[in-house]
Amino acid sequence: MKVQRFLLLGISLALLAFGALAAGPTGRTVSAKILNANRPAHAFQDDGDTKMDGDSKIQHVLLISIDGMHALDFANCSHGTGEINGGEPYCPHLAELAQTGVNYLQALTPRPSDSFPGLVAQITGGTTRTAGIFYDVSYDRSLSPPALTTPYGIVGGANLCPAFVGTQVGFDEEIDYNYLKLNGGGGINPKYLPRDPARGCAPVYPHNFLRVNTIFEVVRAAGGYTAWTDKHPSYEFTSGPSGRGVDDFFGPEINSIPVSLPDVPGCSPLPDPGAATPSNAWTDSFQNIKCYDTYKVHSILNEIKGRTHDGFGRAPVPTLFGMNFQAVSVGQKLVEKSLGLTGGYLDPQGTPSDSLLGEIEYVDDSIGQMVDELKSRGLYDSTLIIISAKHGQSPIDPNRILRIPADDPSLEPPSAVLGGLGTGLTGGGLVGQADEDDVSLLWLTDQTQTASSVAKLAANENLIGGGEIFSWSSLQLLFNDPLVDPRVPDIIVAPNVGVTYTGGKKKVAEHGGFAYDDRNVMLLVEHPGFRRSVFANQVETRQIAPTILKALGLSPDRLEAVRIEKTQVLPQLPLH
């Protein structure tokens, strides 16, 4: 997700002259205190399941996130709706999987419902309160700025650590060596990472930032082989705090300039060359995004064949592996003006536009290829397939969209009401960081001004799209105390459904917020030995993590977040 940030250059010396902050508690130290404060009083006892159960009928788990896929989308496409496909299902492969799966109608993602916290929940069993991940771009009051200013303007400088404590944290494409390249220019540039003043100003990688362990770490420690494919190099956080959880990670940069993909049929040249210029990314085209996702699908097919993700080397078929799809998310929100195409929905019932329909059909066909490959390799009967989404998308109802200020220049996002986004450093403006999509997360550089800032926002609710304002006690019902936890926003604005904060009109929906459309996502757990069933009560996507371990014969309590939050295995599954 891209968030507001000013590129302010040449300020480092001026801010240093203003005066350095006294070094406070580090991210790791404070995180440990918070984690320990929430741990069960007794120490975790290993119950002896340190190795996978070789006699279990489930030897592999394939986890798929169709980013943006609502429960409503799955209901419509698996049963058919309106005149689409003559009223027949338009996701036939998913519909077939549902015949031997448990379909959870009320599955909710964590708040905020964005890609980072959404995936973190699925692989740790924990919410943001425990895992400490709010967004791919956020703020940490215990860390120092990077050694170099990032391409999107997170202020950096060699002398800013340990002189300044409190910084914007970017774990999106801006930390790539070169985010314009499909391979990120070679991965993550440590000079763009926040630094830990308590550890000699060492760079903090995404996996260092995660406060709890992941299913990949547990499975690998038990002798399993693991793989994951996602949209940025920064998704290496899936390896967990140890940095060793994923054996085979693949993270092609989704915000790179689209290029021909010779190994992907129909994608050399790209089908939409007009959206493959130096100013474009893969997400700017309904057609090109399918090429990008297919590039990742090939990694899964290679892994099923017993190869590494690129197909070049031999490897075990992963015990735990998977990927995300971006196509449906693009189909839900993109306006491709040059071709006269608009994604999203036609009505409040979730009838897809032609553009979104094409993306759903594409993803369905791709998953069908994975299932066919599992069957051809004799692996289908021993593989549990879990299909969900990191987040939803809001609004479904096309009549509710209100882009602030794009649709009404008299309106303002919350950060603008408070004076605009600053540099992220003390003395560089009140708003240290603002994540503003269909929610506004605000970190203040001076927390003593929280009450006055809330009062100002409340007095201007008509300007910011109404909704709810969370701070102090109301905020602490959801997250840790921002005066104690250095990563928690001081103020959160959850505007009316349909409000998104953007100055452009390239999107008709967004995610990251608290709305039901943001959070109610598809969740299907499938195995050929299961009977078709539907579970209508509420569950949460964080329950995916303990369910995976249970299926593989491992104790869910091997996950720290599961022990802290008492996260339960998904109900109604015949797991033994």
Side-chain angles (χ1 to χ4, degrees):
M1 303 296 305
K2 289 196 173 87
V3 294
Q4 299 183 37
R5 192 179 303 119
F6 294 139
L7 177 58
L8 299 178
L9 301 176
I11 66 157
S12 300
L13 291 177
L15 286 171
L16 283 169
F18 178 86
L21 281 177
T26 70
R28 294 291 294 179
T29 302
V30 173
S31 299
K33 288 180 179 178
I34 293 169
L35 193 60
N36 289 332
N38 289 283
R39 286 183 186 275
H42 64 279
F44 170 59
Q45 297 295 321
D46 194 333
D47 59 5
D49 64 343
T50 55
K51 297 295 180 184
M52 243 87 64
D53 183 359
D55 296 326
S56 172
K57 64 181 179 181
I58 296 172
Q59 296 294 309
H60 310 277
V61 176
L62 175 60
L63 174 61
I64 298 170
S65 173
I66 309 174
D67 292 7
M69 189 83 169
H70 300 104
L72 180 60
D73 293 318
F74 180 50
N76 286 342
C77 78
S78 61
H79 293 102
T81 182
E83 301 300 318
I84 297 174
N85 197 32
E88 295 297 314
Y90 49 92
C91 58
H93 297 100
L94 290 173
E96 183 177 355
L97 289 175
Q99 298 306 307
T100 52
V102 181
N103 179 21
Y104 298 90
L105 303 184
Q106 297 293 323
L108 297 180
T109 62
R111 289 173 289 217
S113 188
D114 200 59
S115 295
F116 256 44
L119 182 59
V120 165
Q122 293 185 24
I123 66 173
T124 70
T127 61
T128 302
R129 181 191 289 272
T130 300
I133 305 290
F134 278 86
Y135 244 65
D136 55 0
V137 179
S138 61
Y139 194 87
D140 193 313
R141 303 178 191 91
S142 69
L143 298 179
S144 293
L148 291 178
T149 296
T150 70
Y152 291 166
I154 292 181
V155 174
N159 296 326
L160 296 183
C161 180
F164 283 85
V165 179
T167 183
Q168 296 167 342
V169 175
F171 288 144
D172 54 356
E173 65 271 18
E174 69 186 298
I175 62 172
D176 298 351
Y177 277 103
N178 184 350
Y179 72 88
L180 300 178
K181 301 291 186 181
L182 185 59
N183 70 349
I188 294 173
N189 184 345
K191 293 185 178 180
Y192 290 149
L193 296 173
R195 291 175 289 174
D196 188 343
R199 296 178 181 268
C201 293
V204 178
Y205 282 81
H207 72 265
N208 300 135
F209 203 64
L210 187 60
R211 289 175 172 168
V212 290
N213 65 339
T214 73
I215 51 177
F216 295 99
E217 289 176 295
V218 174
V219 169
R220 192 163 185 262
Y225 183 78
T226 60
W228 186 255
T229 295
D230 220 301
K231 62 182 180 178
H232 298 303
S234 62
Y235 277 78
E236 60 91 52
F237 75 77
T238 49
S239 280
S242 72
R244 300 189 296 271
V246 178
D247 289 290
D248 187 1
F249 173 75
F250 184 44
E253 180 52 68
I254 193 171
N255 284 317
S256 61
I257 298 171
V259 294
S260 294
L261 301 173
D263 294 332
V264 178
C267 295
S268 184
L270 292 176
D272 188 357
T277 72
S279 63
N280 287 121
W282 294 97
T283 53
D284 291 335
S285 166
F286 293 112
Q287 293 301 314
N288 292 344
I289 192 61
K290 297 176 185 177
C291 292
Y292 170 82
D293 270 354
T294 301
Y295 186 51
K296 295 188 298 181
V297 168
H298 284 185
S299 73
I300 302 299
L301 298 177
N302 285 331
E303 288 159 1
I304 294 172
K305 295 173 183 176
R307 314 291 296 186
T308 54
H309 75 264
D310 55 13
F312 292 152
R314 294 187 180 277
V317 176
T319 310
L320 171 60
F321 65 129
M323 65 167 280
N324 88 302
F325 282 96
Q326 200 70 23
V328 168
S329 181
V330 170
Q332 290 168 324
K333 61 184 182 179
L334 180 64
V335 176
E336 197 169 359
K337 187 175 180 180
S338 62
L339 299 182
L341 300 174
T342 298
Y345 301 89
L346 302 180
D347 52 45
Q349 288 71 47
T351 303
S353 62
D354 288 343
S355 295
L356 174 55
L357 173 63
E359 307 298 335
I360 293 174
E361 291 174 328
Y362 157 74
V363 170
D364 179 70
D365 182 70
S366 297
I367 292 174
Q369 293 179 45
M370 297 179 194
V371 173
D372 288 345
E373 192 64 40
L374 287 169
K375 290 179 178 178
S376 72
R377 300 281 166 174
L379 298 169
Y380 179 58
D381 289 345
S382 61
T383 301
L384 182 73
I385 300 174
I386 302 179
I387 304 172
S388 188
K390 299 172 186 170
H391 57 78
Q393 209 86 247
S394 182
I396 291 176
D397 184 350
N399 298 310
R400 285 184 173 269
I401 185 68
L402 173 60
R403 294 163 290 201
I404 295 176
D407 291 331
D408 186 342
S410 70
L411 305 181
E412 294 182 322
S415 61
V417 171
L418 298 182
L421 184 63
T423 66
L425 305 182
T426 298
L430 176 61
V431 180
Q433 175 60 24
D435 290 349
E436 296 185 309
D437 290 309
D438 67 335
V439 69
S440 177
L441 310 181
L442 300 170
W443 287 263
L444 305 182
T445 57
D446 181 357
Q447 293 180 291
T448 66
Q449 296 192 45
T450 299
S452 61
S453 297
V454 169
K456 190 170 186 179
L457 291 170
N460 289 277
E461 74 169 311
N462 291 334
L463 290 181
I464 62 175
E468 297 179 271
I469 301 174
F470 297 87
S471 67
W472 300 117
S473 297
S474 62
L475 187 144
Q476 291 175 48
L477 293 175
L478 300 172
F479 308 111
N480 295 322
D481 183 348
L483 295 178
V484 176
D485 188 334
R487 300 182 188 172
V488 179
D490 297 288
I491 303 169
I492 297 177
V493 178
N496 293 332
V497 173
V499 170
T500 64
Y501 299 118
T502 176
K505 296 184 178 182
K506 290 181 62 175
K507 298 178 182 179
V508 292
E510 197 45 275
H511 58 269
F514 291 12
Y516 193 70
D517 290 354
D518 282 308
R519 301 186 63 208
N520 181 215
V521 297
M522 171 187 180
L523 176 52
L524 177 69
V525 181
E526 190 274 344
H527 184 270
F530 292 176
R531 293 182 179 179
R532 179 184 181 276
S533 66
V534 174
F535 190 82
N537 293 332
Q538 182 176 309
V539 296
E540 298 180 48
T541 54
R542 65 186 171 117
Q543 294 177 252
I544 290 172
T547 300
I548 287 174
L549 295 189
K550 178 72 172 178
L552 292 172
L554 295 168
S555 171
D557 277 350
R558 297 183 68 79
L559 287 171
E560 294 167 327
V562 165
R563 302 198 305 273
I564 293 167
E565 298 190 4
K566 310 297 185 185
T567 310
Q568 300 298 304
V569 171
L570 286 165
Q572 210 160 300
L573 293 172
L575 301 176
H576 304 289

